[in-house]
Amino acid sequence: MKNRVFIFLLVGFLVLTMAGCQSQVKQEKGSNEQARIIKKTEANKNISIIGSYRDDADGAAIAFNSDHTGRYVYADPKNSDTDDQLTWKKTGKNTYIIRLNDSDVSSALTAKLTGSTLVISGDGDWNTETF
């Protein structure tokens, strides 16, 4: 009789121990998933304009380098084609200021990056362009 009680208690202890271990594994897995979500969210906060964009409808392309320089090209049907050097800087969340080295564009341009869509706007010297 004592052996049966001892075996019953031993089996009960093992069942409770295994249940506790399984709960801990599930909790750790959830923690890892939460860490991945946090890392992904933090990566989205650091979206950068660096790269190349093109607007096939207007025949334009723009590239931003990591050293805050870049290049804007446009196949102008009326005038000679545009091929301008530029500088840029980040001014806010996904918002940038662009300065073209072009005498026809005297004021700074504003760029807004939403996902992979880049919209550049300016004053009367510049038409809004979506890349």
Side-chain angles (χ1 to χ4, degrees), residues 76-93:
D76 193 333
K78 297 177 184 174
N79 300 316
S80 63
D81 291 342
T82 301
D83 186 352
D84 294 335
Q85 299 298 315
L86 64 87
T87 57
W88 64 273
K89 73 176 185 176
K90 187 170 186 169
T91 58
K93 183 179 179 183

Side-chain angles (χ1 to χ4, degrees), residues 4-20:
R4 286 187 179 179
V5 172
F6 177 73
I7 291 173
F8 179 76
L9 289 174
L10 181 61
V11 169
F13 176 77
L14 290 174
V15 168
L16 289 174
T17 302
M18 290 176 71

Side-chain angles (χ1 to χ4, degrees), residues 101-119:
N101 187 11
D102 185 335
S103 60
D104 294 334
V105 183
S106 57
S107 61
L109 306 175
T110 302
K112 175 81 174 169
L113 182 61
T114 306
S116 61
T117 302
L118 177 69
V119 177

Side-chain angles (χ1 to χ4, degrees), residues 42-53:
E42 287 174 355
N44 288 342
K45 288 180 184 176
N46 296 323
I47 294 174
S48 176
I49 199 170
I50 297 170
S52 300
Y53 305 83

